[in-house]
Amino acid sequence: MPQIIPIKDLKNTSEISDMCHRADEPIYITKNGYGDMVIMSMEIYENTIRQLTMYQDIAISEQQTKNSQIKDARAALTGMREKYGI
């Protein structure tokens, strides 16, 4: 379940930092009862960006396949392993 806190609680920076590092997902910040910001640990942020990049690469690959722009599977997998450290 997502954590939601009011913006006034951001004064407790050490406590917020601890919350971000304990959470496996972003923490939502509200202002006047409405969503305003999202905060997360650097680890969660970097993992999220890495996943988004991989999904974008998959979408590009699917489009290239539709356009018959293909290459050897071994070369493609080697490139992905190098790019993502798999």
Side-chain angles (χ1 to χ4, degrees):
M1 180 171 208
Q3 292 182 323
I4 303 170
I5 61 172
I7 198 164
K8 66 180 177 145
D9 287 356
L10 290 180
K11 294 175 186 175
N12 304 324
T13 55
S14 292
E15 184 179 322
I16 298 297
S17 176
D18 290 342
M19 285 176 61
C20 285
H21 290 283
R22 284 193 312 264
D24 290 334
E25 59 187 1
I27 297 171
Y28 298 89
I29 309 298
T30 59
K31 182 177 182 181
N32 298 324
Y34 295 96
D36 186 51
M37 296 185 289
V38 176
I39 58 174
M40 63 183 80
S41 70
M42 288 297 295
E43 180 183 4
I44 297 296
Y45 173 77
E46 289 170 355
N47 287 339
T48 301
I49 294 300
R50 193 172 13 261
Q51 285 179 337
L52 289 173
T53 302
M54 190 169 39
Y55 292 144
Q56 288 171 340
D57 287 348
I58 290 170
I60 290 168
S61 296
E62 288 175 344
Q63 188 61 44
Q64 289 173 338
T65 300
K66 286 180 186 177
N67 296 335
S68 298
Q69 299 170 318
I70 56 175
K71 62 181 174 179
D72 179 66
R74 285 190 178 95
L77 288 173
T78 299
M80 286 180 65
R81 286 185 180 116
E82 290 171 0
K83 184 174 182 176
Y84 298 111
I86 301 172

